Amino acid sequence: MLLEIIAPDQELYSGEIDMVTVPGSMGSFQILRNHAPIISTLEQGRIKIVDIKRAVSFYDVDGGVIEVKNNKIIVLAENAKT
């Protein structure tokens, strides 16, 4: 899956991943390959990424929006940082 995390002033992450966990408005949830299409708002919290090499990285966000469609994930994040 391709993940892009974009903050107002920069692109924070772009790459192939196996899994991402995001802080959804109604609770944290994971996105895996072939996930159903979804658009959701995000709350303040931590995004966890597991890339295809099994490396784990984290980004803290103050909120935002996520869109998942055809194994492409776009996160528009507010005030994100590693």
Side-chain angles (χ1 to χ4, degrees):
M1 294 182 297
L2 175 64
L3 171 65
E4 294 180 354
I5 301 176
I6 303 167
D9 58 346
Q10 64 181 323
E11 182 176 76
L12 297 171
Y13 185 93
S14 180
E16 289 291 323
I17 64 161
D18 281 335
M19 185 272 302
V20 63
T21 303
V22 295
S25 297
M26 297 179 66
S28 182
F29 63 95
Q30 286 186 343
I31 304 292
L32 300 170
R33 186 167 303 284
N34 297 321
H35 194 284
I38 185 173
I39 296 175
S40 178
T41 55
L42 302 177
E43 296 294 319
Q44 183 178 17
R46 178 168 275 187
I47 296 174
K48 176 184 176 183
I49 301 165
V50 178
D51 71 18
I52 59 175
K53 295 179 182 177
R54 296 289 185 208
V56 178
S57 55
F58 296 94
Y59 292 87
D60 293 321
V61 296
D62 288 340
V65 176
I66 184 171
E67 178 186 30
V68 179
K69 186 175 180 184
N70 298 327
N71 289 318
K72 182 173 182 182
I73 305 162
I74 299 173
V75 176
L76 302 176
E78 298 174 15
N79 300 322
K81 62 184 174 185
T82 57

